[in-house]
Amino acid sequence: MKHQIAERFSLDRIAEAHELMESGTAIDKIIIELSEGFDPETDSKEQILADLKESFRQAESGQTLPLSELWKWQ
């Protein structure tokens, strides 16, 4: 079984990827390419995993932001 890819986004285009996902028009997978900004010398796998777990914890506890607020820094 092969997965179909709707579109690939670099990390700096994550807002566009999120908007595509929210629109429901992408039937296939949306890929976010993270390798561009990953530096194995400074970004440990343990820290990345800890950050991801913290993000899930915040989402589960209702600490979320509206999409319009999420990307204001860009």
Side-chain angles (χ1 to χ4, degrees):
M1 179 181 210
K2 216 174 187 184
H3 294 285
Q4 299 297 317
I5 298 172
E7 193 163 346
R8 291 179 182 268
F9 292 91
S10 59
L11 191 55
D12 64 335
R13 295 180 56 216
I14 191 119
E16 292 175 59
H18 196 220
E19 288 171 3
L20 177 61
M21 182 192 69
E22 290 277 317
S23 75
T25 59
I27 296 171
D28 298 319
K29 305 295 181 202
I30 298 171
I31 306 297
I32 308 297
E33 297 175 343
L34 301 175
S35 60
E36 217 172 89
F38 179 72
D39 182 355
E41 298 298 319
T42 60
D43 300 336
S44 71
K45 291 179 183 178
E46 293 80 14
Q47 185 60 50
I48 293 168
L49 182 58
D51 291 345
L52 184 57
K53 286 180 179 179
E54 176 62 15
S55 296
F56 281 127
R57 187 197 64 72
Q58 289 173 350
E60 287 174 346
S61 69
Q63 297 174 327
T64 60
L65 295 171
L67 184 58
S68 60
E69 298 279 321
L70 194 57
W71 307 113
K72 278 190 174 178
W73 54 269
Q74 284 191 343

